[in-house]
Structures are given as C-alpha cells and as structure tokens.
Amino acid sequence: KAGVTQTPRYLIKTRGQQVTLSCSPISGHRSVSWYQQTPGQGLQFLFEYFSETQRNKGNFPGRFSGRQFSNSRSEMNVSTLELGDSALYLCASSLVGRYGYTFGSGTRLTVV
Amino acid sequence: AQTVTQSQPEMSVQEAETVTLSCTYDTSESDYYLFWYKQPPSRQMILVIRQEAYKQQNATENRFSVNFQKAAKSFSLKISDSQLGDAAMYFCASRGSGNTPLVFGKGTRLSVIA
C-alpha cells in the first residue's frame, strides 16, 4: 500500500511569506504528526492530529498551525516566515501509536 | 515529560563487523514504547525495531537487536554483520502509553567502512 506522501519535496520562500505543506497518511491511519528537523535542534515535535482534532502541540510559536481533513490528510502552515524556519519538515502517520509511526520523505523548506 | 539521550554523535564500523549504538531515556510513565529509526540520505525515517517496556525479552529484527535495560533506562541497538547500506543517521525514540508524542534523541551518524 502507498506510504506517507508529502508535497512538495522542496520549497524556497522569502522571509515574511507564508507556506503550506501537505501530508497524505497511509490509508486507514487517522493520526498524523508533524516534526521539524534541523541540524542544531534535531527532531522537534510540532503537533499531532487525530480525527480532525489537534491532540498534542509542541512548543512552537503561533505562526505554526495545522489542520486535518475528514480524509485524514493534513496540512501545516507557517506564516510570516523567518530564516530560522528553514528545515526539513517531516510528517508521520500511525494506526496505533505503540506500533510506531510511518514517516514521509519530508519537505525541505528554505527561507531566504 | 520524556527525554531521550544519544551520547554518540558519530560512530563507525567495518563492514561485516558488529556495532552498538547507545541510548538512554527518562520517563515517569510505567508503560511506554521504545523505537530505533534509521534515516538514510534519502531523508525518509525508517522504523528499525521497537520494544514494549513491559516485555522483558529483547526485540530482534534480523541483524538488528536491542539490549533493553529497564532499571537503567537504557535501550541500545546492536547491528550485526554491518553492511554498507546500514550507513545512516540512527535515532532512538520513546513514546508513552497515552496519546503522547514520539520523542527523539539527537541521533548517531553511523559510517560503514568497506
């Protein structure tokens, strides 16, 4: 079956702009989590959605937001981009958390 | 809150040899789950092995096995018969039994020398 699909793979944006990233989970997976990966901070949890509701939220400013649709697809939005937002953004889906998460290949965001 | 610590930023191993990657964690929960993920240059995180804290038996997946020491809160990964394709970043992660997020360590970069 298809894995977790993230689009786009690469993105270049200018400071001050906003960006929307998309994630399609594995069919049947209702939980979608987002992570930011940078060389300095490693993998940091952004938020998790389950059945269209935000279940957990990491320690990120309000410029970072997300949502989940009825088909479990998820989007995350970053407004007023800063240079420090340059990172690999990973999406992961799970059927049941204790069995682990399946990750997508990520979206590489560069803010210039 | 859970924390995961990987004290080895980089490791190297000769092809066909065995290497062990270290991981310690801290949690206040009695029931939790531990994972090792591999991230090759392709960027996609791949689940290598998982361990349920209530199980005393160490998990094994082909050439990959763990040494789970619950009292010491240690969860090391052993890779036997290392192959060139094992070269990657390896992340240790933990998750509580409730709806808590998966927490990652900083990772260990493994190089395999031919």
Side-chain angles (χ1 to χ4, degrees):
Chain A
K1 58 184 175 182
V4 177
T5 303
Q6 289 189 248
T7 56
R9 289 267 311 198
Y10 299 92
L11 208 48
I12 299 175
K13 289 288 189 178
T14 304
R15 266 184 305 174
Q17 287 186 312
Q18 75 164 16
V19 67
T20 299
L21 311 182
S22 179
C23 173
S24 293
I26 289 175
S27 178
H29 286 194
R30 294 161 63 191
S31 168
V32 174
S33 298
W34 289 88
Y35 287 83
Q36 182 196 65
Q37 185 177 20
T38 59
Q41 298 298 318
L43 281 146
Q44 293 187 286
F45 172 73
L46 281 156
F47 26 66
E48 179 189 9
Y49 287 88
F50 181 83
S51 293
E52 301 179 65
T53 301
Q54 187 179 86
R55 186 156 71 176
N56 286 300
K57 188 177 190 307
N59 189 26
F60 277 81
R63 300 185 297 106
F64 292 82
S65 63
R67 59 178 175 169
Q68 186 179 33
F69 302 95
S70 58
N71 62 358
S72 293
R73 190 178 72 85
S74 177
E75 289 181 347
M76 69 162 281
N77 184 277
V78 187
S79 63
T80 319
L81 283 165
E82 301 176 359
L83 295 179
D85 297 332
S86 295
L88 178 65
Y89 290 87
L90 292 167
C91 166
S93 74
S94 69
L95 182 61
V96 179
R98 65 178 180 267
Y99 295 126
Y101 293 31
T102 303
F103 283 80
S105 296
T107 293
R108 171 78 65 187
L109 172 65
T110 301
V111 182
V112 297
Chain B
Q2 300 191 77
T3 60
V4 178
T5 302
Q6 294 180 250
S7 58
Q8 306 153 315
E10 295 185 1
M11 293 279 288
S12 63
V13 62
Q14 291 284 139
E15 199 176 2
E17 296 295 309
T18 296
V19 65
T20 298
L21 308 184
S22 301
C23 171
T24 58
Y25 61 92
D26 193 17
T27 179
S28 57
E29 300 196 39
S30 57
D31 193 17
Y32 51 91
Y33 306 91
L34 299 167
F35 307 88
W36 277 98
Y37 279 88
K38 169 186 177 181
Q39 187 179 39
S42 67
R43 307 179 334 198
Q44 185 159 15
M45 301 277 282
I46 301 165
L47 178 62
V48 175
I49 198 166
R50 57 182 288 272
Q51 174 83 40
E52 292 156 317
Y54 64 84
K55 289 186 177 179
Q56 292 186 341
Q57 186 173 7
N58 289 324
T60 299
E61 289 287 343
N62 301 313
R63 299 183 294 108
F64 299 87
S65 62
V66 299
N67 183 3
F68 176 44
Q69 301 290 325
K70 192 172 184 177
K73 295 184 177 178
S74 171
F75 183 61
S76 60
L77 174 70
K78 186 172 82 170
I79 306 174
S80 304
D81 185 25
S82 296
Q83 301 175 358
L84 294 177
D86 295 334
M89 282 290 288
Y90 285 82
F91 292 93
C92 179
S94 75
R95 186 179 189 276
S97 59
N99 297 322
T100 55
L102 191 62
V103 175
F104 287 88
K106 294 287 190 185
T108 297
R109 181 175 301 280
L110 177 67
S111 301
V112 181
I113 303 165

